Amino acid sequence: MKARARAITLLAALLGLASPWFGIPGWTLSVATVAAFTALALIGLNLVFGVLGMLAFGQAAFVALPGYVAGMLELLGAPTLAAMLAGVVVTVVVAAVVARIFVQLPGTYFAVGTLGFSFVIEGLARAFPEWTGGASGLVFASGRDIGPMAWYALATSALALGLLAWHFTVRTARDRRFRTVRHDELAAAVVGIDVARVKVGMFTLASGFCAVAGIGLAYYVGVLVPEGAGVNRSLEYVGTLLLGGAGSMLGPIVGAALVQWLFVVAGYGKQFELLLYGAAFLGAVLYARHGLVGLAAPLWRRAVSDRTGHGERADGFGRRAPELGDPALADARLQGLPAARGAAGGSGEALSVVDVSKNFGGVQALRSVSFSVRYGEIFALVGPNGAGKSTLFNVISGVEPPSAGQVLLDGERIDGLPIHRRAPRIGRAFQVARLVPGLSVLDNVVTRLDQIAPDMPEAARRGAALRQLRQFGLEGLAADDVAVLAAGQHKLIDLARAAVGSPRLVLLDEPAVGLTAAELDHLRRLLLELRDSGCAVVVVEHNIAFVSSVADRGVVLDGGALIAAGDFSSIIREPRVLEAYFGVLS
Amino acid sequence: MNLFTQSIYSGLTSGAVYALLAMGLVIAFRTTRVVNLAHGESYAVGGLSIALLQQAGVPMLLALVAGIVLGMVFLWGMDRVLLRPRASWPVPSLILITLGLAFLTRGVLLVAAGVDPLSFPRLVAGPPLRWAGGILPRQALVLIGVSIVAAIAVAVFLGRTRFGRQLRATAEHPDAAQLMGVNVNATRAVAFLLAGGLGALAAALLVPLVPVDFQTGLGMTLRGFIAAALAGMVPGAAVFCGFILGLFEAFVTSYGGALASDPVVFVVLIVAALWRSRSIRFEGRARA
Amino acid sequence: MDMRRLLGLVVGVAVVSASGMTGSHAADPINIGMIAPTTGVMATVGQRQLATAQWWESDVNAKGGIKGRPVKLIHCNDEANPEKAVSCVRDLLARGSVLLINSSVTGPIRATMPLIRNGPVMVTPSPNVMPEASSYVFQTSPSDMDLTRTLVEYLHRSKVDSIGVIAATDASGELGVNTVRTLLPASAIRFNLARIDLRATDASIQLAQVAKSDVRLIYSTYSGGGAATVVKSFNNLGLEQPLVVSYANLSDQFIALIRNDMPQRLLGLGLKGVAPELLTDPAERERVAYFARAWQQARGEAIDQLNLNALTLVDTIEAILRNGPDTADPAAVKAWLERTPIRSFQTLRFSAQNHIGMNETHAAILEYKGGRWVPAAPVQ
């Protein structure tokens, strides 16, 4: 089983290593060396672009910067190795700072911001010729003495280490986290992931790969020019990665080798080079989302699967088919969670909303709304369209800060906390389930536990998630990719994710929308079970019939203000409520 | 020659082009939420095709019209063929598509027009105007004038017509707009036709003064984007910011040197992007 | 279980690799590696020189080759990019080039120089390259300093004491700036200097900076197609001074780029061979005439500065191959070049102290008039 895959992998690696001696025209030792270093830089790009989906359009800057730093230090008399090390360190520090600034930018601005950074580094390299060699380039003399074989060995070893580091970085639990961030930042924050920190960390780490590769390239090629930091080079890297396969382990190697080789071979094709490159880039974006590696994946699967049919899933992350956990393992551990203690008590005031107001420009979406929710009850938030329910929900879960007022949980103010820090105590399900396709149902649920119970071993986390799924009657789906399931199932899975790890408060946004009658019954049972476990449940719901059948108490909002509060079955009969509802509906 | 005056003239000339580009970029952005990285290619496509047609002996006026139409068709076709059928894709993937198209266009233009910069004769002949120690070619004066008129026309179009209101509705919420009876596809088509037309118009007016080559497009996209970002993606402000950017660039070049221009302009871009993005989180998904 | 098969394959791979390594045997043709940017901003410089070298290759081979062996020119396009130029040299050496021609521009040429610290000999026509006499690099043009001396001599003759200088922000521009800063003040000529980005498309601000009212001539040190931008902006601003363009821009391709924007007087800083009437030696005139005829026959066009640059390169290569020592011994080739004058359309002289083949006596200020370059009359 695995031995076969390992043998084939090892063989492919050896063949790749020996390829410069096969006599392939244009694929010489020096081209292969440059390709190996480039692949290492692309692994870095792959971490931010492929794994987290950040549009890093300025990565060439982090490839050129270490070389410039090292070269300038050498001119000042620093020994070569110290200069190299300093180059890498400075680059990583700069990247950490840049990441902290840029990570606040939404996708588009992040793309253009990094592009701009690339322009700035290129421009600076050009503007100070007395230090950087200007447009003539900074010439490195010291690297040429170790000989082509040694360089090749160095480049391929660095690449091998880079692959190992990649493997370590995207291993199981982190892979789940990264996929969630990549797919949906809000969902990621709601399950407790500090999105900004993940992005900053990844960007900084990625720059380390680029920096090591950049040092290698600078000393091996022997000259560094401003264009090497520039926008065109950065975009070239993105194109190369896309061609090889963004997000996959081998994408950088396949892309770098192919493009470097094509540069040599097609370099003689003169003006068609750019055309082919553009067509390949666009083709990859449109039709081969996982590049050449993605196209080759079915072949690979066939090659490694032996007669028993157990193959490793070659989705590029090297993840195996999901293993189900053992619920028994989880039981003891989960009791130790901080969130669980309050829920176990199941009495007293859970959530208090005190005089909360929210303005958007001139529009007042909420006008000093106050109410409180107790443990062990289902609390409904109803009101006509535009009443401010969603805004209120967003304020409680942390998506929007209130303009005035306080939100307290267990008597402790939470309105200043970022979303991900509320996650251990607050579970939230969405109107349209925000699950991560490509991950199994179990993995989607485990993602929340990864964050709120990081000390639990992986197997125990899986066990706890499985127990939650069993409770929800979803155990049979645990191993399925959520992408193949129906919308109704998505909603229940989303709910299971919100409820896993015993949060004190569960927020549900229109849970009944889109469910069949049978699913509604199921949902009702689940909500009651959740309540009986001592949890406080807040539901925003339009389906008054459904919500009447579960809610204990509730409030009615209209025009951003509370118009009724109390026992749910009585408040919805109040004339003001009927008027607000039917006045709008008629 | 007076450097200060000359900087103003040069700045207004390039600013007029950035204004036209920024305006088109914003209009297309407002209907699709996609920053079109192939936007500047409409400038290159328009400029190079006019030059090639003129060289091939096509009458100047016909060449101009054909170039502008090509620019319009180029962006409209991009939306129709590449973006619209993939409207459900995430925004970053759509941005990559536009980048891919920009690369491909560059390759096509290189094969079609060669590496050397091309140009064509001016529409307005005569010696340049000399005012206050600066020199302004007549063509540049026309360019600045046309850009201002186009800006006003587009502003009226967006503010006073049904299409303008539909465009804003589409930008706010495409699904809701569709429910309200707005033909979203038609709105997109008009937006991209307009964007491509403005880009090619800029080329038609500037290329006689400043030659265009196959790789001019990306630089134009970036300049247009800076102006648009400074303007917070508002069409009217984009025009103003385009002129500001042109002047700023000219003065940096005059008093800081050509080498300072790129770093300074892009540092400004980054600061502007940060400043503008403070309110935008989760790519506008905050309403969830 | 798979290990035995795996081992077998690994051994197989090793054998294949080893056989690949030992597969080189002497090929019949003489391989000459040539680096020339045929795409990118310097394509106007590279394409013409490559075409000239290719003409030479077929000319020599049609006459039976050299010592019975055909010459084989291997071209590598470096796109005027130093990184690519370095790969080019590695590649050309790996493919068995015994001599190298480098027709690229300053930055890339300099970047390749450390790669041939132990030979083989590389010839280049860039005036901006001043090779160490200990190196294997030989430069076949006058140096930038020599060319600027020619300009100074013309300025003195025209009694011009104030000029404007436009230099690129690239490597050639950096050198040009150093040269004018050294030479012009020493020659009592005042100058205003402005620099322009090679990728820029407008030079009006730079021209406004240097074209003050007392400035009677503008000199653009900028080479390659990008200099068309300077000429265009010069015309946009309606400037009336003579405009001097530099060395590599005395080409037909460049003239084609600027044909709609001709300044009132377009001057050029070039070799005397471009205007053969300036050559005094009849043998030298004959060499230019022969080449001009052959080029006209082969390509149907007149020769220009870039043809002549390439001609000095291939004449040097041919001289080494015909009369010099075996190229297997680069040190001997180097020593031979240092003591042997090369007869081209103008004679090149290298020495053990100086690897620059020409000087200011080989150059002149020319003017583009009636479709050709002629000796320039002084500034009025």
Side-chain angles (χ1 to χ4, degrees):
Chain A
M1 333 185 293
K2 272 194 205 162
R4 187 186 169 89
R6 258 189 212 146
I8 295 178
T9 310
L10 187 59
L11 183 65
L14 286 171
L15 280 174
L17 271 180
S19 60
W21 289 279
F22 292 174
I24 303 163
W27 185 247
T28 57
L29 197 59
S30 81
V31 175
T33 307
V34 171
F37 279 129
T38 308
L40 181 61
L42 291 184
I43 294 178
L45 176 63
N46 204 10
L47 285 173
V48 284
F49 176 76
V51 174
L52 285 190
M54 299 159 81
L55 294 179
F57 284 175
Q59 218 59 12
F62 300 108
V63 179
L65 189 60
Y68 272 116
V69 172
M72 288 190 283
L73 287 175
E74 274 208 79
L75 289 180
L76 293 174
T80 305
L81 282 177
M84 287 175 156
L85 188 66
V88 173
V89 171
V90 168
T91 305
V92 173
V93 170
V94 169
V97 174
V98 166
R100 239 161 270 271
I101 298 172
F102 284 177
V103 90
Q104 313 162 26
L105 302 178
T108 306
Y109 284 83
F110 180 83
V112 180
T114 49
L115 211 90
F117 179 72
S118 195
F119 253 111
V120 171
I121 297 293
E122 178 183 4
L124 290 176
R126 208 184 294 277
F128 299 99
E130 56 276 26
W131 299 337
T132 63
S136 336
L138 189 58
V139 176
F140 295 78
S142 48
R144 296 204 164 109
D145 304 325
I146 68 169
M149 264 313 293
W151 268 113
Y152 184 62
L154 204 63
T156 46
S157 322
L159 179 58
L161 287 176
L163 284 175
L164 265 179
W166 156 276
H167 192 71
F168 178 74
T169 307
V170 297
R171 70 199 169 136
T172 331
R174 293 203 188 114
D175 175 32
R176 282 196 292 266
R177 186 192 310 160
F178 297 152
R179 279 166 179 253
T180 310
V181 169
R182 179 194 175 134
H183 182 71
D184 189 334
E185 290 182 13
L186 178 55
V190 164
V191 300
I193 299 171
D194 185 345
V195 174
R197 216 183 105 204
V198 168
K199 285 182 158 185
V200 169
M202 195 68 123
F203 196 86
T204 311
L205 177 69
S207 75
F209 284 76
C210 293
V212 172
I215 283 283
L217 278 174
Y219 279 85
Y220 176 66
V221 172
V223 61
L224 198 52
V225 288
E227 293 81 34
V231 175
N232 279 331
R233 182 66 54 86
S234 294
L235 295 178
E236 220 170 83
Y237 284 150
V238 173
T240 306
L241 179 60
L242 273 169
L243 211 58
S248 72
M249 180 162 174
L250 294 178
I253 300 178
V254 173
L258 185 72
V259 169
Q260 289 300 325
W261 179 67
L262 281 178
F263 272 152
V264 179
V265 181
Y268 305 105
K270 317 252 156 58
Q271 74 269 33
F272 291 101
E273 187 184 332
L274 203 57
L275 182 62
L276 289 175
Y277 188 69
F281 186 149
L282 187 58
V285 179
L286 291 177
Y287 303 111
R289 309 280 305 276
H290 301 287
L292 290 171
V293 170
L295 292 180
L299 298 176
W300 168 250
R301 263 197 292 276
R302 205 171 324 145
V304 300
S305 68
D306 58 11
R307 281 146 225 110
T308 59
H310 288 285
E312 229 178 307
R313 276 182 46 181
D315 61 352
F317 287 88
R319 285 184 317 119
R320 282 154 214 158
E323 290 158 14
L324 300 181
D326 176 8
L329 210 72
D331 283 346
R333 305 268 189 167
L334 267 185
Q335 296 309 319
L337 279 179
R341 282 193 293 270
S347 62
E349 222 166 66
L351 175 75
S352 301
V353 173
V354 184
D355 279 335
V356 164
S357 297
K358 178 73 188 174
N359 307 314
F360 292 108
V363 182
Q364 186 134 37
L366 292 175
R367 303 160 196 265
S368 31
V369 171
S370 299
F371 61 86
S372 58
V373 181
R374 290 195 286 265
Y375 284 115
E377 73 172 354
I378 296 176
F379 192 91
L381 231 90
V382 296
N385 269 329
K389 303 185 301 284
S390 294
T391 308
L392 183 55
F393 224 61
N394 282 339
V395 169
I396 298 170
S397 62
V399 176
E400 312 261 11
S403 308
Q406 301 181 354
V407 179
L408 298 100
L409 189 60
D410 284 331
E412 184 195 328
R413 276 189 75 165
I414 59 165
D415 48 74
L417 291 181
I419 307 175
H420 66 268
R421 291 194 45 203
R422 304 180 192 202
R425 286 178 288 175
I426 303 181
R428 176 178 178 183
F430 296 88
Q431 184 180 346
V432 176
R434 305 181 85 138
L435 302 172
V436 184
L439 287 184
S440 69
V441 169
L442 186 70
D443 276 332
N444 265 286
V445 176
V446 174
T447 309
R448 186 172 141 82
L449 285 174
D450 292 340
Q451 298 308 313
I452 64 177
D455 300 334
M456 271 168 85
E458 167 82 7
R461 270 179 269 157
R462 302 190 83 87
L466 196 62
R467 197 181 52 169
Q468 188 74 42
L469 286 175
R470 182 181 295 162
Q471 222 171 342
F472 276 49
L474 296 166
E475 198 180 4
L477 304 176
D480 294 351
D481 184 337
V482 295
V484 304
L485 300 177
Q489 289 166 318
H490 280 178
K491 293 203 76 153
L492 295 178
I493 298 163
D494 198 20
L495 180 58
R497 183 173 67 178
V500 78
S502 312
R504 297 173 187 208
L505 175 65
V506 173
L507 302 174
L508 304 175
D509 196 353
E510 312 232 359
V513 169
L515 295 192
T516 62
E519 283 169 337
L520 277 179
D521 275 343
H522 189 180
L523 175 68
R524 185 175 300 117
R525 276 201 314 279
L526 292 178
L527 292 185
L528 296 175
E529 272 174 34
L530 207 53
R531 178 190 70 184
D532 295 341
S533 74
C535 184
V537 181
V538 177
V539 184
V540 166
E541 187 52 74
H542 262 118
N543 185 337
I544 297 295
F546 173 78
V547 79
S548 303
S549 72
V550 292
D552 301 304
R553 295 192 309 134
V555 290
V556 184
L557 279 170
D558 188 28
L562 277 192
I563 57 169
D567 178 54
F568 193 75
S569 51
S570 54
I571 58 170
I572 55 162
R573 290 194 190 86
E574 282 185 28
R576 289 167 66 194
V577 174
L578 291 172
E579 189 198 323
Y581 256 87
F582 297 109
V584 167
L585 288 177
S586 59
Chain B
M1 239 189 263
N2 182 329
L3 190 58
F4 184 83
T5 325
Q6 190 59 44
S7 305
I8 291 180
Y9 293 169
S10 294
L12 287 176
T13 309
S14 41
V17 172
Y18 301 159
L20 288 171
L21 285 162
M23 199 158 38
L25 195 80
V26 168
I27 292 171
F29 174 82
R30 305 262 297 190
T31 55
T32 55
R33 296 271 152 203
V34 173
V35 167
N36 174 13
L37 293 181
H39 182 68
E41 305 303 325
S42 63
Y43 177 94
V45 167
L48 283 173
S49 47
I50 296 171
L52 289 175
L53 287 172
Q54 191 264 337
Q55 274 180 16
V58 175
M60 197 59 227
L61 199 65
L62 198 61
L64 282 176
V65 172
I68 292 174
V69 169
L70 264 174
M72 296 169 82
V73 170
F74 172 74
L75 283 190
W76 170 79
M78 176 192 75
D79 179 54
R80 186 68 196 80
V81 177
L82 298 178
L83 297 185
R84 210 214 279 171
R86 295 175 181 80
S88 61
W89 285 26
V91 169
S93 301
L94 297 176
I95 294 176
L96 280 174
I97 291 178
T98 64
L99 181 64
L101 181 69
F103 269 123
L104 182 62
T105 309
R106 230 166 44 156
V108 172
L109 291 177
L110 173 61
V111 173
V115 289
D116 291 320
L118 297 181
S119 186
F120 47 84
R122 295 167 200 189
L123 309 174
V124 228
L129 306 165
R130 290 165 191 273
W131 291 329
I135 300 175
L136 184 67
R138 284 160 198 265
Q139 172 91 16
L141 190 64
V142 173
L143 168 60
I144 296 167
V146 166
S147 149
I148 292 170
V149 169
I152 294 170
V154 170
V156 168
F157 182 57
L158 291 181
R160 302 275 164 83
T161 65
R162 210 172 98 93
F163 172 78
R165 287 192 296 275
Q166 293 188 347
L167 188 136
R168 276 179 301 178
T170 313
E172 284 306 313
H173 221 297
D175 299 335
Q178 198 144 27
L179 287 175
M180 282 153 52
V182 173
N183 184 341
V184 175
N185 286 343
T187 313
R188 288 177 72 130
V190 175
F192 278 96
L193 284 170
L194 203 59
L198 290 172
L201 177 67
L205 293 168
L206 185 68
V207 171
L209 298 174
V210 171
V212 58
D213 67 28
F214 70 99
Q215 49 193 350
T216 308
L218 183 64
M220 286 297 172
T221 304
L222 289 174
R223 273 8 187 227
F225 181 84
I226 298 175
L230 282 170
M233 293 293 177
V234 175
V239 174
F240 177 73
C241 290
F243 279 106
I244 292 292
L245 177 66
L247 285 169
F248 181 74
E249 219 178 31
F251 276 93
V252 171
T253 307
S254 291
Y255 296 99
L259 288 166
S261 145
D262 268 356
V264 172
V265 167
F266 280 93
V267 165
V268 167
L269 160 73
I270 291 167
V271 172
L274 282 173
W275 174 52
R276 276 289 169 190
S277 70
R278 277 179 313 176
S279 56
I280 312 168
R281 296 175 69 201
F282 300 115
E283 286 275 10
R285 283 190 234 147
R287 270 188 220 91
Chain C
M1 48 174 188
D2 277 312
M3 283 326 266
R4 233 174 23 202
R5 242 163 74 199
L6 184 68
L7 204 66
L9 274 159
V10 170
V11 171
V13 167
V15 170
V16 171
S17 333
S19 66
M21 286 166 84
T22 54
S24 77
H25 52 86
D28 201 30
I30 307 171
N31 291 330
I32 307 294
M34 177 160 186
I35 298 148
T38 45
T39 56
V41 284
M42 290 298 166
T44 51
V45 175
Q47 283 168 349
R48 190 77 162 212
Q49 295 198 52
L50 175 64
T52 309
Q54 284 164 340
W55 164 82
W56 167 78
E57 180 191 21
S58 52
D59 189 58
V60 166
N61 289 339
K63 291 174 186 160
I66 294 174
K67 295 179 183 164
R69 292 172 67 191
V71 170
K72 188 177 164 212
L73 194 72
I74 312 173
H75 168 234
C76 184
N77 174 15
D78 71 328
E79 299 173 21
N81 173 338
E83 288 171 9
K84 290 203 172 155
V86 167
S87 313
C88 275
V89 168
R90 286 208 170 100
D91 186 40
L92 292 172
L93 292 179
R95 293 162 78 179
S97 306
V98 294
L99 294 168
L100 294 174
I101 297 174
N102 198 333
S103 284
S104 193
V105 290
T106 321
I109 296 173
R110 282 189 195 155
T112 57
M113 286 162 59
L115 284 176
I116 50 160
R117 269 187 292 201
N118 303 311
V121 162
M122 176 166 87
V123 290
T124 174
S126 168
N128 297 340
V129 172
M130 281 159 294
E132 301 270 329
S134 60
S135 75
Y136 283 84
V137 182
F138 290 83
Q139 199 267 90
T140 59
S141 292
S143 69
D144 187 57
M145 192 66 90
D146 294 333
L147 288 171
T148 312
R149 282 198 190 97
T150 306
L151 175 68
V152 166
E153 187 274 329
Y154 174 77
L155 294 175
H156 282 161
R157 192 144 50 86
S158 306
K159 304 199 165 42
V160 170
D161 60 357
S162 177
I163 67 168
V165 179
I166 302 279
T169 53
D170 74 346
S172 75
E174 277 159 23
L175 190 94
V177 168
N178 285 337
T179 308
V180 293
R181 283 203 177 127
T182 319
L183 196 60
L184 295 188
S187 318
I189 291 168
R190 283 173 289 123
F191 66 97
N192 305 314
L193 173 79
R195 301 188 67 181
I196 174 170
D197 194 314
L198 262 185
R199 298 155 304 165
T201 45
D202 181 38
S204 44
I205 287 178
Q206 283 83 357
L207 286 166
Q209 278 171 316
V210 303
K212 302 276 162 37
S213 53
D214 60 333
V215 163
R216 292 177 54 210
L217 175 143
I218 310 265
Y219 170 45
S220 158
T221 71
Y222 202 128
S223 45
T229 301
V230 177
V231 182
K232 183 112 205 160
S233 298
F234 196 84
N235 186 33
N236 286 343
L237 295 178
L239 296 178
E240 284 157 1
Q241 294 94 334
L243 175 67
V244 182
V245 296
S246 85
Y247 207 59
N249 285 335
L250 277 73
S251 68
D252 290 352
Q253 215 172 341
F254 184 71
I255 295 292
L257 283 181
I258 61 166
R259 67 188 179 284
N260 293 328
D261 302 287
M262 272 302 169
Q264 292 184 357
R265 287 191 73 187
L266 180 68
L267 306 183
L269 188 45
L271 290 178
K272 284 179 177 167
V274 178
E277 57 265 49
L278 285 169
L279 298 175
T280 45
D281 182 340
E284 291 181 348
R285 277 193 196 195
E286 179 42 42
R287 174 76 185 149
V288 175
Y290 167 77
F291 175 60
R293 272 196 309 276
W295 185 256
Q296 186 72 41
Q297 248 171 15
R299 314 279 295 210
E301 48 192 23
I303 58 166
D304 62 21
Q305 172 75 44
L306 293 173
N307 291 113
L308 293 178
N309 285 145
L311 194 61
T312 60
L313 299 173
V314 293
D315 281 346
T316 309
I317 296 286
E318 192 172 335
I320 296 171
L321 294 177
R322 284 198 193 284
N323 310 320
D326 186 352
T327 51
D329 182 1
V333 176
K334 173 177 184 287
W336 183 84
L337 269 180
E338 284 167 350
R339 61 175 190 267
T340 317
I342 306 293
R343 301 285 293 176
S344 184
F345 62 93
Q346 283 168 285
T347 302
L348 291 93
R349 286 173 213 281
F350 302 106
S351 73
Q353 291 76 41
N354 183 11
H355 279 200
I356 299 175
M358 293 191 184
N359 56 40
E360 68 260 38
T361 64
H362 293 79
I365 297 288
L366 307 168
E367 177 161 14
Y368 191 73
K369 248 186 189 169
R372 58 184 295 265
W373 293 93
V374 297
V379 180
Q380 296 309 310

